[in-house]
Amino acid sequence: MLEPAEEQKQEFVQKILDRAFALYKEGRFDSSDALLATLSEEPSVKPVVLHLRGLIALQFGQMARAEEYLVGTLSLEPSDPAAHANLGALLLATHRYPEAVAAYAAALSLDTSRAAWHLHLGLAKALTGLGMIDMAAEYCREASGQAPDDPDPQLHLALLLNHSGDAASASALLHDALARHPERPDLHKALAASLFAAGAYEAAWAQYAQSAAGPNSGAKLLPEGQPVWQGEDLAGTTILVHSNDRLSDLLLCAQYLPALKQRGAKVVLRGPVRLFPFLRSLAGIDAVTDLEDAIPSCDVHAPLLSLPHILGPSRETGLAKRPYLMPDPVLAESWREAFRQLAGLKIGLHWRAVLDGEDKLLGSMRIETLLPLLDCPGTHFVLLEPNLGQDQSELLANRLIDPRLPADPNFFAIAAAIIANLDLVISIDGAIAHLAGALGKPAFVMLSSFADWRWLATAKDHPWYPQLQLFRQRTSGDWCEVVAGVRAALWAFAGASPPQDASKPTPSSHPAANPILCDALFSEALRQHRELNLHRSKNLFEHVLALDPGHISSLCNLGALESRMGNHARALQLLEETVHRAPRLLEAYLALAEALLASGRGEAALAQYRKAIELAPKSDVAHAAFALALESLGHHETAIVHFQEAVKINQQQQPTFYEALGRTSIARANLEGAQICFKHALALEPKRAAAHTGLGQIALRLGHKADAIASFRRALDIDAHHAAAQQGLEQALLLAAKAGS
């Protein structure tokens, strides 16, 4: 019992904590955090305080601080599923996918509710980031089944279906979600992506326009009282075209702006000019205003992303001539002078995915993969990457020109000036590729199997950037064939004869398996096994082994699972390999012995049990397993030795152990010992038909017919089809009838 003073203190602490929670729910994060700081050293609430301060830091985008708080929470409360889930969300947001898988897997192992759909969706997104598409789709379906009214699982599943080439199923899923949530612009965008993948451009642009025009589109401070332009005559009017979307969309759709000018309008573009000041040089614009500026007057307004739908999405209708973006003339001239001494072709190179604020799933590649491009004769390569890491700088030393591009709003202005002076750009999917398209520069675009919808599904060129060539992955994560195709095209572009092997893929140098990911998938496989989702558990074990063939725990558990599923040959192959790789692993010998026993090879199984006993003579687990196997094969005298040894080491055994020991005792005519064993099994688990049956058989042998009948009936109440209980009851009733007559 707490002392009065201590009790008053705890009440005071709880009042402060409750107030901090209330402020957090009201969105008053600064005030909530200030209150929580006063409790930071209070041990009774420290895990809760750290957790909530971590969530507040997340609200402010302070990722490092949030992670510190959440990791601190878990160091004090490692069994808090919400803390694991929130850490998973943070790791997902920072693209640390292996760690995110581990965090979500930990949360799922601790969350006993069957409606943890947000955890399944988080795990699906983390798996997507790692290219594990089929597995991610399974978790999306599970999340959708648990939360059928929430469109988020369907949205991500549609993304995965698009990636898998099933645009029709993705469209059907999204139409269903939109019927229930028409206000969600992200659903319209996703449906547009599905329609683009199916080649239905007009319908796709219509959906995309709807996503930009809806009440929840995120457009900032639109003009009040002014009509939205739907395609009517623009002569003599001022049209405000607005977009707060990502740079790739701005560049893609800005080529339609000159068509508005041609229709007699004064065109004002309102967008994130503060972030991308070079947008002022887009063709077809009379004025540019930033989203943070006051809204200019206009006659009509339109989302930029609605223009392709209104003006027409074909190559011929309403498109600007190339280029429709001009670099800063002073910057362009300075780079022309900088490159003056370079004889031959100048090639821009960009291989990292995130430049315009949105993650590209599976977009980036390792710079080592691109090294085969650098042997093309008569070429100079120019880096189009900001903040190149030290390791990569050393790797590329003296092989590429590094202009030291800054990672700030001036990046794209400088990049545009550089690209204007290049002969070719080689880039992954991203803003640099769109920038080359807007500047009218030839480019080879390397696309992952999870390429952005803006590059369509299968095209080798682009309908709205005709000077771009597209090179696509055929296998997720494998850039070798893509780079080989680019290499051959590059030699042709340079007018050189490529080496004979120029069209052959260069062998990949895959990084070592990530132990965090492997262990997380292994942990999730065990959870699925416990929940009897055997096929999913098997898939997870197999994926771990695909990443790390030497993951012993997965080898062993997959072998045991294959045995349980009746795949005996595969089970024995896996478990024999486990024993070979880990000759001191007790669990491997026991699993191999059980698989041999299940496949009918009893003597071979016993030999493996003996090896397990030799390896761990003081293991009650080994003795108990050996005893159970011996009992099942009828070797009762040897079995009793190992039963007794197991109990001597550890009396806390499973009910099945005591049942088997009871049967062995009956076989050795030790009815009193057998009775004790069966009763002990029932004390541990009352509803065990086999134990009740054993007691009935003992009573029958002792001539206690009424007790036997009662025990057999209890067994049949638990399992109406228990053959031994049915047979015993018939025998007991017959004996009772004879005795009565």
Side-chain angles (χ1 to χ4, degrees), residues 142-370:
E142 188 161 350
S144 185
Q146 292 174 335
D149 293 329
D150 194 291
D152 287 336
Q154 289 177 290
L155 176 62
H156 197 73
L157 180 57
L159 171 72
L160 299 173
L161 290 170
N162 268 341
H163 170 266
S164 303
D166 191 357
S169 295
S171 295
L173 199 66
L174 290 163
H175 276 297
D176 176 67
L178 277 167
R180 291 177 287 111
H181 300 276
E183 77 287 353
R184 289 277 297 259
D186 50 352
L187 294 175
H188 288 287
K189 277 190 181 181
L191 180 55
S194 297
L195 294 167
F196 274 118
Y201 296 166
E202 292 190 21
W205 279 120
Q207 286 295 327
Y208 211 52
Q210 197 165 346
S211 77
N216 297 317
S217 64
K220 290 186 179 180
L221 302 175
L222 300 182
E224 293 184 7
Q226 299 299 335
V228 177
W229 184 60
Q230 302 289 344
E232 59 271 17
D233 183 28
L234 287 175
T237 66
T238 296
I239 181 170
L240 177 66
V241 180
H242 48 82
S243 174
N244 62 344
D245 219 299
R246 49 190 293 243
L247 180 59
S248 296
D249 285 338
L250 276 165
L251 291 173
L252 179 62
C253 296
Q255 58 191 292
Y256 289 86
L257 293 172
L260 302 179
K261 189 71 178 170
Q262 291 167 10
R263 294 186 178 207
K266 177 183 178 182
V267 181
V268 180
L269 175 65
R270 178 175 173 79
V273 185
R274 176 175 50 87
L275 298 177
F276 309 121
F278 74 100
L279 293 175
R280 297 181 186 277
S281 66
L282 285 166
I285 301 175
D286 294 289
V288 176
T289 179
D290 190 77
L291 294 170
E292 305 300 325
D293 298 336
I295 302 174
S297 61
C298 62
D299 298 300
V300 292
H301 68 94
L304 177 66
L305 302 182
S306 70
L307 299 185
H309 170 56
I310 297 172
L311 295 171
S314 70
R315 295 176 189 263
E316 296 79 16
T317 306
L319 295 188
K321 295 180 179 179
R322 301 302 185 279
Y324 57 89
L325 176 67
M326 300 301 296
D328 180 280
V330 175
L331 279 175
E333 178 59 25
S334 69
W335 284 105
R336 189 179 71 82
E337 288 297 320
F339 295 150
R340 183 184 295 278
Q341 302 303 317
L342 299 179
L345 297 175
K346 295 175 285 295
I347 314 294
L349 196 58
H350 165 59
W351 66 91
R352 292 189 294 182
V354 180
L355 275 177
D356 59 343
E358 183 171 314
D359 177 38
K360 300 284 199 323
L361 292 172
L362 316 179
S364 298
M365 67 175 72
R366 292 160 60 86
I367 181 56
E368 294 90 339
T369 311
L370 286 173

Side-chain angles (χ1 to χ4, degrees), residues 515-590:
I516 294 174
L517 175 60
C518 290
D519 289 346
L521 294 176
F522 172 74
S523 172
E524 176 63 8
L526 292 180
R527 184 182 75 85
Q528 295 290 346
H529 194 178
R530 288 193 300 271
E531 296 187 2
L532 302 181
N533 298 323
L534 301 187
H535 288 286
R536 185 177 295 176
S537 177
K538 177 180 174 179
N539 288 341
L540 284 159
F541 283 133
E542 287 179 336
H543 202 94
V544 175
L545 292 172
L547 295 170
D548 179 7
H551 197 276
I552 298 301
S553 297
S554 291
L555 266 177
C556 189
N557 279 273
L558 180 57
L561 180 57
E562 292 281 25
S563 178
R564 179 176 180 178
M565 297 175 74
N567 304 324
H568 299 304
R570 173 71 170 146
L572 293 175
Q573 176 190 358
L574 290 165
L575 292 168
E576 285 168 358
E577 183 180 352
T578 306
V579 167
H580 175 73
R581 286 176 176 266
R584 304 293 299 171
L585 183 63
L586 173 64
E587 292 79 5
Y589 289 99
L590 294 177

Side-chain angles (χ1 to χ4, degrees), residues 74-153:
L74 290 168
S75 70
L76 297 172
E77 289 287 352
S79 60
D80 182 354
H84 284 287
N86 287 320
L87 180 59
L90 182 151
L91 294 164
L92 192 60
T94 52
H95 319 306
R96 292 152 64 187
Y97 299 119
E99 292 90 340
V101 170
Y104 280 116
L108 281 166
S109 70
L110 295 165
D111 191 322
T112 56
S113 72
R114 298 302 301 169
W117 66 269
H118 58 290
L119 300 179
H120 288 103
L121 180 57
L123 185 54
K125 290 180 177 180
L127 293 168
T128 301
L130 292 163
M132 299 165 63
I133 306 305
D134 291 343
M135 199 173 296
E138 287 185 29
Y139 283 96
C140 275
R141 291 188 178 96
E142 188 161 350
S144 185
Q146 292 174 335
D149 293 329
D150 194 291
D152 287 336

